[in-house]
Amino acid sequence: MSADLVAVTMPRWGLTMTEGKVVGWLKAEGDAVEAGDELLEIETSKITSVSEATASGVLRRIVAKDGMTLPVGALLAVIGPAEAEVDAFIGGFEVIAAEEEAEDTGPVLREIEAGGQRIRVAEAGEGGVPVVLIHGFGADLGSWMFNQPVLAQKRRVIALDLPGHGASGKELGGADDAALSGVVVAVLAELGVSRAHLVGHSLGGGIAAAVAIRHPGLAASLTLIAPVGLGAEINVGFIDGFLRAQRRKEVAEVLTLLVRDPELIGRSMVEDVLRFKRLDNVGEALAAIAAAWFADGRQTVALGEAISGLGIPVQVIWGAHDRIIPAAQAETLRGQATVNVLGLSGHVPHMEQSGEVNRLIERFIGLPG
Amino acid sequence: MQMSHERLKKAYRDMVTIRLFEERVQVEFTKGAIPGFVHLYAGQEASAVGVCLDLRPEDNIASTHRGHGHCIAKGCDINGMMAELFGRSTGLCGGKGGSMHIADMNVGMLGANGIVGGGPPLVVGAALTAKTLGTDNVAVCFTGDGGSNQGTTFEAMNMAVVLKVPAIFIFENNGYGEATGHSYAAGNTDIAGRAGGFGLPAVTVDGDNFFAVHAAASEAIARARAGGGPSVIEVSTVRFFGHHSGDAQLYRGKDEVARLREERDCLKVFRKSVTEAALLSADELNAIDAEVAQAVEDAVEAARAAPLPVAGDLLTDVYGTY
Amino acid sequence: MALKTTRQAINEALAMEMRRDKRVVVIGEDVSGGAGTDGSRDAYGGVLGVTRGLLGEFGDSRVIDTPITESAIMGAAAGAAATGLRPVAELMFCDFLGVCFDQLLNQAAKFRYMFGGKVKTPLVVRTMIGAGRGAAAQHSQSLYQMFTAVPGLKVVVPSNAYDAKGLLIEAIRDDDPVIFCEHKLVYDLKSEVPDEAYRIPFGEANIVRDGEDVTIVALSRMVHFSAEAADVLAKEGIDCEIIDPRTTSPLDADTIAESVERTGRLVIVDESTPRCGVAGDIAAIIGERCFRDLKAPIRRVTAPHTPVPFSPVLEKLYIPDALRIAEAVRQTVAYAR
């Protein structure tokens, strides 16, 4: 078996994925591939996304044909030098059981008390100045499923469920920027983190900015993905629709607003949102947050000016096809921040173009991709 | 007979209201103004009114197919009742219930009931609500001699005793279950005696005598309110009309009804006793008669003029949400 | 999130709702057990232990043991519901419907309508369904079709622990009478169940599995057999979509119809008997709505038109299983006009 050959396996995205379906290959057998190249599209019941090559070489053999559904860890293809013996490699490949793999590399979940609230955190990786991932309105730490495992290969990465979200307590101490950023600060204190690279998406971007503004010195850098706080405009139809949606169809409809390609949204992502929204007190928590941040159909928390004056590195990542918050709002920080507008994304580029977003984050915080 | 002047007048007014209401319903039904069929309560007024006089709006009663009297005694509005009988949308049940299903939870009327023996288990439940929530409300079930033979009634009495709930079972024994005599239908015609076997106080009272009914009911209600558990009262009474309006009553003796109207009319008995004891004057009673006659007339006029339900009403009120 | 059995999930839902609302009471035969004996209270906690422990927390004024008296239990629960409690009554086996149907059919179900919308009846009747435990003809039926046929009743038939908890909480908070059908052989099945309270709306089917070739609609325990069948069929290249309606009244016909519009094929799996049942009802609805989409006749996989037999040999034949489901799907897929 050649040591130079590298197995391409079914990735594990998120906490609950057990299998995936090969939608189609973006490279053909015999093609030269570079690490980071998009190799194939994989559909899970939750989401459809692209899996990237983790090594460079020739795509020697595609084992998993289009349409096949395979467990996490299953062999999909082999990459390696043109001359290496592939058959023996395939014959000798052993699938690592998904559970074992999860134990080895998956984020560790736990609940902590912070700022008087029960907060769920997911930790992965070690060392360096930690990266802290703050999700958006109505989401949870699972929305970093394409990012946390990758970023955690090089350093400690902490994701958390905001109050009222995910598995955190559903009673809010407060819903505004002061209250929610206060909870994040309390979480970091509880975890012994005194300095971190903050990455926030949408509402989480606003909260990350608020942390940086209110607690100088805590943020080493700020990565804002389609953040709130830079303009007044927001798709109130999404916010209201998300608040109102109780049935699968309603949820599916509002979730498609998040992405450029509605096909990306799978049934179990809809189901996860439904399961979240069915919990007691979630409706009240989300309504309170919406009232504090998006009253009267527009954004009411303005952070742009304060962000400009932070004096720390700030980057903004936005999907060109964002239908929730217009990408044009990124321009308000041009000159003060690195601005990246991704052409193939809607409101969730960290899921839609995760590889690109991961590279932008890693480059920005000073680690080569 | 220690009862205030006002309460005496109320008792009489309620009894007369039932009588005149029922007699007028008979007329309107015969004319074809009232659809379906109706079971009239005339003759039994002292039972409904004697039992309900001490009840409060928060106390619940359940009734039978012969339920107009119970509704009136418990405080249902006769305009709403008449409109219901006429099948109008202004009826107490919007015209969806009719004679056998008049209910008004605002006055504790948990429903007339088309199923003989349907009510007793429900009343155990209403009494359980009172006990569980710690109110001193009571719940009263009216049943007939016919209902006294239903298994549901036995089960209800037993469970009321087991759970020690403030339930009172009234058996209005008018001698007939539809067209069959009680003496045939019951293995033991002593309803109270049989009920007593379930382990609760049970008495029989003369249903022609409002005061006798009231005294027994008063005692049972007070016991129930004080946490003393359920009771049974068998009221020996008479029915002036057939099982239903239009019933040829071939099963009744010759002149039986005329004799009963003469000898066992609880209104006459009441009038006689209160005037002889100088508790109410004939003038006062006559004034009530006139007032009630006018009110019944008004109820009929209003019902006739009231709007019918619209097609959309067919599909509403099946569920709260669906 | 913790894995919990359906039994635990139901018990948890009851306890949480009883804590939240003092009007919620549990009433039935041996819901705790041991009353009037020299032995211990809570001896049963329900005949299969579903309500165990509630007595200790809530006491006998809210966990109410009754005589064996189904009419009085159902009637008392209906009367209590109409007057201010939110009772969860237990009809130990749905077969016992025979001795108390009036109180549901003519009383609880009809209050709201016949009283002109002025009475609400927030009643839940928990009842056990299902063959497979050798309990024979009078303790093994799945009579949800009889409840489903009654306007005014809502009928819930959960297949798993997650659904059971969310649907029971919804049932308790609902203002209409709800019949909650618990399958004896689903009690020990586990799924991930949040510790928090949550509500699953009625009339929203769960899509258990996505597929393109054939739609399988299944209820309660049959969902699991259908999933087994779908695993086998997947290896044969037949891609099954499985829909669990969760409630038969209201019924989420839209989700079924939308699936059949895609797959063009429908197999309905129902442990109940075949005549005038839920499977026939769904077949009729889809026949009306999706006639042009259908590529093959709708097939029903049900118990036979017999009582539930006792002998395990016969009982096994009685209950639809994965083999029968798979065969029905194969025939449906193979059908050529």
Side-chain angles (χ1 to χ4, degrees):
Chain A
M1 199 180 297
S2 168
D4 300 332
L5 289 170
V6 175
V8 178
T9 60
M10 182 63 74
R12 179 186 172 90
W13 292 329
L15 304 168
T16 53
M17 178 174 167
T18 56
E19 60 178 28
K21 180 176 171 182
V22 178
V23 177
W25 286 88
L26 305 171
K27 298 278 182 190
E29 277 183 9
D31 285 358
V33 295
E34 292 286 326
D37 281 357
E38 297 186 340
L39 268 188
L40 76 161
E41 270 197 316
I42 294 171
E43 178 187 339
T44 72
S45 60
K46 198 182 198 88
I47 194 166
T48 300
S49 188
V50 172
S51 190
E52 296 181 347
T54 53
S56 303
V58 174
L59 180 58
R60 294 291 312 279
R61 182 75 57 80
I62 290 175
V63 179
K65 308 294 180 206
D66 291 5
M68 283 177 76
T69 297
L70 294 163
V72 168
L75 185 65
L76 304 180
V78 183
I79 293 174
E83 63 283 0
E85 168 49 52
V86 176
D87 289 336
F89 178 85
I90 293 172
F93 182 82
E94 281 177 38
V95 177
I96 302 160
E99 303 84 64
E100 289 173 37
E101 194 207 31
E103 265 172 41
D104 285 353
T105 63
V108 178
L109 291 167
R110 63 189 171 111
E111 288 178 4
I112 60 173
E113 288 291 320
Q117 303 219 259
R118 182 169 51 80
I119 299 293
R120 180 176 70 160
V121 296
E123 290 198 73
E126 288 172 0
V129 175
V131 171
V132 174
L133 306 171
I134 307 172
H135 64 76
F137 179 74
D140 62 25
L141 56 79
S143 62
W144 302 109
M145 63 181 158
F146 300 120
N147 318 104
Q148 189 174 17
V150 176
L151 298 173
Q153 287 165 10
K154 305 269 171 57
R155 63 175 69 207
R156 183 180 182 193
V157 183
I158 300 160
L160 60 94
D161 284 337
L162 289 168
H165 289 75
S168 289
K170 302 303 184 296
E171 315 274 351
L172 301 183
D176 62 7
D177 53 329
L180 294 178
S181 64
V183 171
V184 173
V185 170
V187 167
L188 296 184
E190 185 66 28
L191 297 177
V193 175
S194 56
R195 192 166 161 78
H197 297 289
L198 302 183
V199 178
H201 169 240
S202 195
L203 172 74
I207 294 168
V211 170
I213 294 161
R214 289 163 181 272
H215 298 270
L218 187 48
S221 75
L222 202 50
T223 296
L224 306 175
I225 305 172
V228 302
L230 300 185
E233 194 181 337
I234 186 160
N235 184 344
V236 72
F238 171 79
I239 302 294
D240 289 350
F242 192 88
L243 288 175
R244 254 198 323 270
Q246 294 297 336
R247 307 255 161 184
R248 187 179 342 98
K249 241 191 238 174
E250 300 163 334
V251 168
E253 216 162 83
V254 293
L255 289 189
T256 57
L257 292 173
L258 289 173
V259 289
R260 184 181 68 94
D261 176 5
E263 295 290 311
L264 294 184
I265 304 289
R267 179 180 50 77
S268 67
M269 180 172 290
V270 175
E271 178 68 18
D272 286 351
V273 170
L274 276 173
R275 285 185 176 220
F276 162 61
K277 287 212 64 201
R278 286 172 187 150
L279 295 168
D280 273 9
N281 304 318
V282 163
E284 292 83 343
L286 292 178
I289 291 171
W293 293 75
F294 319 121
D296 304 324
R298 43 203 299 285
Q299 296 191 45
T300 50
V301 180
L303 301 166
E305 208 169 303
I307 292 169
S308 300
L310 276 174
I312 56 169
V314 177
Q315 79 165 332
V316 180
I317 301 171
W318 224 300
H321 303 276
D322 194 321
R323 286 183 284 169
I324 310 298
I325 306 174
Q329 290 183 14
E331 300 307 320
T332 61
L333 285 184
R334 200 174 283 280
Q336 281 86 42
T338 313
V339 174
N340 308 280
V341 176
L342 305 188
L344 298 178
S345 287
H347 187 60
V348 287
H350 55 304
M351 303 182 90
E352 296 169 271
Q353 287 180 271
S354 55
E356 186 60 28
V357 170
N358 291 340
R359 275 186 289 278
L360 288 171
I361 294 172
E362 288 186 326
R363 198 174 304 144
F364 185 68
I365 64 181
L367 277 173
Chain B
M1 259 203 272
Q2 301 219 323
M3 198 176 283
S4 75
H5 193 71
E6 279 314 302
R7 265 159 71 85
L8 277 173
K9 282 170 72 170
K10 174 176 167 39
Y12 183 71
R13 179 181 289 108
D14 286 353
M15 288 199 290
V16 171
T17 303
I18 296 170
R19 177 68 54 87
L20 297 186
F21 185 92
E22 295 293 65
E23 286 179 342
R24 187 57 184 271
V25 167
Q26 167 74 357
V27 170
E28 297 298 322
F29 180 82
T30 308
K31 285 198 312 204
I34 292 175
F37 48 106
V38 288
H39 307 84
L40 301 179
Y41 192 75
Q44 305 183 184
E45 292 85 350
S47 175
V49 177
V51 169
C52 291
L53 191 66
D54 279 10
L55 295 180
R56 310 183 294 221
E58 314 83 62
D59 297 321
N60 284 290
I61 68 164
S63 167
T64 69
H65 55 286
R66 197 175 307 288
H68 304 167
H70 306 133
C71 293
I72 292 169
K74 194 64 176 56
C76 291
D77 168 42
I78 62 166
N79 293 303
M81 288 177 61
M82 194 65 84
E84 187 63 31
L85 299 190
F86 275 68
R88 305 295 160 138
S89 66
T90 55
L92 272 180
C93 306
K96 286 179 168 178
S99 168
M100 281 191 286
H101 306 302
I102 297 175
D104 186 351
M105 298 305 286
N106 294 326
V107 297
M109 173 57 200
L110 186 48
N113 210 310
I115 307 298
V116 174
L122 303 175
V123 159
V124 174
L128 182 64
T129 298
K131 185 186 173 192
T132 306
L133 298 183
T135 65
D136 65 348
N137 298 336
V138 303
V140 176
C141 178
F142 289 97
T143 314
D145 47 285
S148 81
N149 294 323
Q150 281 280 35
T152 47
T153 307
F154 299 163
E155 291 191 29
M157 288 191 288
N158 181 60
M159 194 149 101
V161 173
V162 170
L163 300 182
K164 294 186 179 59
V165 292
I168 298 156
F169 302 91
I170 310 292
F171 291 98
E172 295 177 327
N173 181 357
N174 62 24
Y176 296 98
E178 294 192 16
T180 298
H182 178 56
S183 60
Y184 173 85
N188 172 357
T189 56
D190 177 5
I191 296 174
R194 192 166 62 176
F198 286 102
L200 70 177
V203 297
T204 302
V205 297
D206 174 7
D208 305 340
N209 182 345
F210 162 81
F211 296 102
V213 175
H214 177 257
S218 198
E219 185 184 334
I221 292 166
R223 179 162 53 235
R225 287 207 203 289
S231 310
V232 162
I233 301 170
E234 178 184 355
V235 181
S236 173
T237 184
V238 294
R239 175 179 105 184
F240 286 173
F241 290 101
H243 168 59
H244 54 82
S245 191
D247 178 358
Q249 302 190 69
L250 299 175
Y251 50 87
R252 297 191 93 155
K254 192 168 166 6
D255 301 330
E256 178 187 320
V257 174
R259 183 172 43 78
L260 293 177
R261 282 186 180 267
E262 188 53 42
E263 296 170 5
R264 294 194 59 185
D265 182 337
C266 58
L267 280 175
K268 286 182 185 163
V269 173
F270 184 91
R271 183 178 267 266
K272 186 161 180 285
S273 62
V274 292
T275 48
E276 280 178 5
L279 295 168
L280 292 174
S281 70
D283 284 352
E284 282 175 304
L285 296 168
N286 293 340
I288 291 172
D289 290 349
E291 259 172 51
V292 170
Q294 187 58 48
V296 170
E297 179 62 34
D298 293 347
V300 170
E301 287 309 312
R304 255 193 219 123
L308 292 163
V310 296
D313 296 336
L314 174 67
L315 302 180
T316 58
D317 301 327
V318 183
Y319 298 95
T321 53
Y322 196 67
Chain C
M1 206 180 299
L3 279 176
K4 294 170 193 166
T5 65
T6 304
R7 178 186 284 103
Q8 288 171 311
I10 293 170
N11 183 284
E12 195 170 286
L14 290 169
M16 294 181 96
E17 290 307 290
M18 290 179 83
R19 262 171 233 141
R20 195 182 69 87
D21 185 345
K22 70 181 172 69
R23 298 169 301 173
V24 178
V25 300
V26 166
I27 182 168
E29 293 154 19
D30 287 322
V31 289
S32 62
T37 69
D38 294 336
S40 59
R41 292 303 316 271
D42 214 11
Y44 272 20
V47 73
L48 290 185
V50 176
T51 47
R52 185 166 297 146
L54 297 178
L55 179 76
E57 183 173 352
F58 302 104
D60 61 7
S61 65
R62 293 181 65 200
V63 181
I64 303 167
D65 275 325
T66 67
I68 298 171
T69 184
E70 281 82 8
S71 278
I73 299 166
M74 294 302 127
T83 54
L85 292 184
R86 304 186 79 88
V88 181
E90 186 170 312
L91 179 60
M92 191 182 286
F93 293 90
C94 76
D95 315 63
F96 304 168
L97 172 65
V99 287
C100 64
F101 202 12
D102 179 67
Q103 295 296 328
L104 299 172
L105 170 72
N106 283 319
Q107 311 299 336
K110 294 187 172 45
F111 283 166
R112 185 185 286 272
Y113 193 83
M114 68 185 179
F115 299 158
K118 290 186 293 194
V119 176
K120 58 181 185 182
T121 313
L123 162 68
V124 180
V125 176
R126 292 181 42 248
T127 191
M128 270 194 278
I129 61 168
R133 288 192 48 142
Q138 297 172 340
H139 290 74
S140 301
Q141 297 171 84
S142 295
L143 298 176
Y144 40 76
Q145 83 275 27
M146 301 186 89
F147 300 110
T148 304
V150 180
L153 298 181
K154 295 175 178 174
V155 185
V156 182
V157 192
S159 66
N160 63 76
Y162 173 81
D163 286 356
K165 180 173 171 182
L167 291 165
L168 182 54
I169 289 175
E170 178 76 0
I172 292 170
R173 297 185 194 176
D174 194 285
D175 280 341
D176 294 315
V178 179
I179 313 295
F180 193 86
C181 301
E182 301 167 9
H183 198 295
K184 302 171 192 80
L185 289 160
V186 169
Y187 278 141
D188 289 318
L189 302 181
K190 288 184 179 176
S191 60
E192 288 198 345
V193 177
D195 293 333
E196 294 148 292
Y198 56 93
R199 312 168 65 159
I200 299 176
F202 295 159
E204 170 137 295
N206 183 28
I207 300 174
V208 178
R209 178 185 180 118
D210 298 311
E212 296 301 323
D213 297 330
V214 60
T215 302
I216 301 176
V217 173
L219 290 163
S220 190
R221 189 183 185 208
M222 295 300 115
V223 173
H224 305 282
F225 289 169
S226 299
E228 273 179 47
D231 285 344
V232 171
L233 292 163
K235 297 193 177 83
E236 301 170 18
I238 299 175
D239 191 12
C240 300
E241 179 142 306
I242 301 176
I243 295 176
D244 173 1
R246 293 198 281 221
T247 59
T248 59
S249 180
L251 176 73
D252 183 0
D254 288 353
T255 293
I256 301 171
E258 282 157 20
S259 174
V260 172
E261 281 162 17
R262 271 189 298 107
T263 63
R265 301 182 183 92
L266 176 61
V267 173
I268 308 159
V269 191
D270 177 3
E271 186 181 326
S272 192
T273 46
R275 299 299 316 282
C276 297
V278 169
D281 185 46
I282 293 172
I285 292 168
I286 298 304
E288 285 172 356
R289 285 182 57 166
C290 304
F291 185 72
R292 284 176 168 278
D293 301 301
L294 286 168
K295 298 172 188 156
I298 298 169
R299 256 169 226 276
R300 291 174 294 153
V301 182
T302 69
H305 188 60
T306 68
V308 182
F310 167 65
S311 168
V313 178
L314 298 177
E315 192 184 34
K316 191 170 185 317
L317 291 170
Y318 176 92
I319 303 168
D321 60 14
L323 286 176
R324 277 178 59 197
I325 297 165
E327 193 45 39
V329 169
R330 285 186 200 105
Q331 287 177 17
T332 302
V333 171
Y335 179 86
R337 280 185 220 252

